[in-house]
Amino acid sequence: MNTAPTRPRLLIARAIFPEVIDRLTPFFDVDSNQADDVLSATQMATRLVDKQGLLCTASDVIDAPLLAQCHALRICANMAVGFGNLDLAALSARGVVATHTPGVLSDTTADFGFALLMAAARRTGEAERCVREGRWHKWSYDFMAGQDVHGSTLGILGMGRIGQGVARRGAHGFGMRVIYHNRNRLDAAGEASIPARFVDMDTLLRESDHLVLTVAHSAATHHVIDAQALARMKRTATLVNIARGGVVDEDALIEALCNGVIAAAALDVFENEPAVHPALVSLPNVVLTPHMASASRATRLRMAHLAADNLLAYFQTGRALTPVPPLSPSLPA
Ligand code: GLV
């Protein structure tokens, strides 16, 4: 690749590892937002207007009004496996390639999903707050009694790499019976290796002791966990969301947690993040974390390198390595 003077111009929209920027600077004119402020739509348009490449994160909204101002843009490399922040139709209409970072974060995210499941079921957040706030005065037979994880039924909605990772942890580590629902059924060998049983949505809701959401957010999965779905769950159930906030109707979940429709929840993602619904903050039976399921240092570094690899491959060969899949995921009825 010719490195000068016609280097493509690249915007790195949020702070990333300096070593990844160092890899890119020989090949691109880099404008990097190492200050790490989340750029407003106007700031993003101003900085992106003359760029051919963009490295962005799940908190950057790349939509039609922005793209209408950025005619030079050829590739948008999202440093996330999810891509709900990208308007894929608008990108494709303008011939802009969109890429994401599948695979490199699956195990780290599955680890965290399981940590949240344990925390919600065994009430560790609530218990820790109690100790720190000096409210632990005596042992009682039902003090902080939660739900068992070992030997229970683990439900997974969305059986991609992350869902399978959570399922394996449950089946192999905790002797859980795994059921799942997904737009595509795994093949027999895939199901046997976990082992996991494909069920319809109703069975998933009714039989799960712990339900983990790892499904992609799309029009088909928006608010798939609503008041009716929650009402079909066990009163002792826990719900874990490591997918996207929009998969759960947050108002309905708050009602359900207040009224004992389900026992507990753990949320790493929110409908309006980084804003968190004040009612969630005041509820004892929900664990709240700041969209950090992939946040191990090694995995975040792998994600940044994969986004950079996509940019380099695209400008060197015309082909990106991990383009966003063409069809948005949906669930069977
Ligand atoms: C994180 O949420 C991701 O999509 O990578």
Side-chain angles (χ1 to χ4, degrees):
M1 180 175 169
N2 185 6
T3 58
T6 54
R7 294 182 304 172
R9 287 181 292 276
L10 171 68
L11 175 63
I12 302 179
R14 298 292 305 280
I16 59 165
F17 299 89
E19 63 221 79
V20 177
I21 300 179
D22 289 347
R23 269 187 71 208
L24 291 166
T25 42
F27 303 101
F28 295 93
D29 267 341
V30 175
D31 171 9
S32 172
N33 175 22
Q34 284 302 87
D36 206 28
D37 305 319
V38 179
L39 300 178
S40 67
T42 309
Q43 290 168 327
M44 178 70 92
T46 305
R47 288 177 76 159
L48 193 58
V49 70
D50 61 342
K51 306 294 192 300
Q52 285 91 26
L54 170 65
L55 195 162
C56 60
T57 68
S59 49
D60 302 307
V61 176
I62 311 302
D63 58 10
L66 173 72
L67 293 169
Q69 301 169 70
C70 303
H71 301 284
L73 193 65
R74 306 265 43 91
I75 175 168
C76 169
N78 208 32
M79 187 184 140
V81 66
F83 39 81
N85 58 313
L86 309 181
D87 182 335
L88 296 180
L91 284 159
S92 147
R94 295 190 167 270
V96 181
V97 172
T99 69
H100 66 146
T101 58
V104 293
L105 49 70
S106 308
D107 278 319
T108 298
T109 303
D111 285 349
F112 195 75
F114 217 85
L116 287 184
L117 188 166
M118 298 285 293
R122 296 300 308 274
R123 304 173 63 176
T124 57
E126 207 180 336
E128 218 235 4
R129 284 191 297 278
C130 165
V131 173
R132 280 185 192 275
E133 291 164 10
R135 292 185 282 111
W136 179 34
H137 303 303
K138 59 179 185 197
W139 184 96
S140 304
Y141 76 98
D142 61 350
F143 184 55
M144 290 293 161
Q147 303 301 324
D148 270 329
V149 173
H150 72 273
S152 64
T153 296
L154 171 60
I156 307 281
L157 180 61
M159 199 60 146
R161 293 183 190 87
I162 297 170
Q164 290 175 49
V166 175
R168 272 195 303 276
R169 282 156 179 75
H172 300 181
F174 290 80
M176 297 171 91
R177 163 183 171 255
V178 178
I179 55 178
Y180 77 98
H181 187 66
N182 193 45
R183 78 195 140 124
N184 298 317
R185 191 172 169 172
L186 299 180
D187 62 22
E191 286 188 355
S193 73
I194 294 176
R197 184 165 66 87
F198 181 83
V199 295
D200 61 26
M201 188 68 184
D202 189 59
T203 306
L204 184 81
L205 292 166
R206 290 187 194 286
E207 294 190 7
S208 297
D209 292 309
H210 308 287
L211 177 59
V212 181
L213 309 177
T214 59
V215 71
H217 183 219
S218 68
T221 62
H222 185 71
H223 284 188
V224 68
I225 302 299
D226 58 7
Q228 286 169 354
L230 290 159
R232 283 185 273 164
M233 293 176 69
K234 298 182 182 182
R235 292 181 80 82
T236 51
T238 57
L239 176 73
V240 177
N241 190 4
I242 51 169
R244 282 293 183 267
V247 171
V248 175
D249 178 341
E250 232 164 55
D251 290 329
L253 177 62
I254 290 163
E255 282 281 314
L257 290 168
C258 285
N259 298 330
V261 173
I262 63 169
L267 308 174
D268 187 46
V269 285
F270 303 88
E271 285 207 77
N272 298 305
E273 61 186 59
V276 177
H277 197 302
L280 286 173
V281 176
S282 61
L283 275 172
N285 51 345
V286 59
V287 178
L288 307 171
T289 54
H291 200 150
M292 55 176 280
S294 68
S296 75
R297 199 184 153 75
T299 287
R300 286 283 166 85
L301 187 59
R302 276 195 290 270
M303 291 165 69
H305 275 303
L306 182 51
D309 291 343
N310 270 299
L311 289 160
L312 290 165
Y314 177 77
F315 283 104
Q316 288 172 347
T317 69
R319 292 180 76 88
L321 301 178
T322 52
V324 164
L327 291 173
S328 59
S330 59
L331 284 169

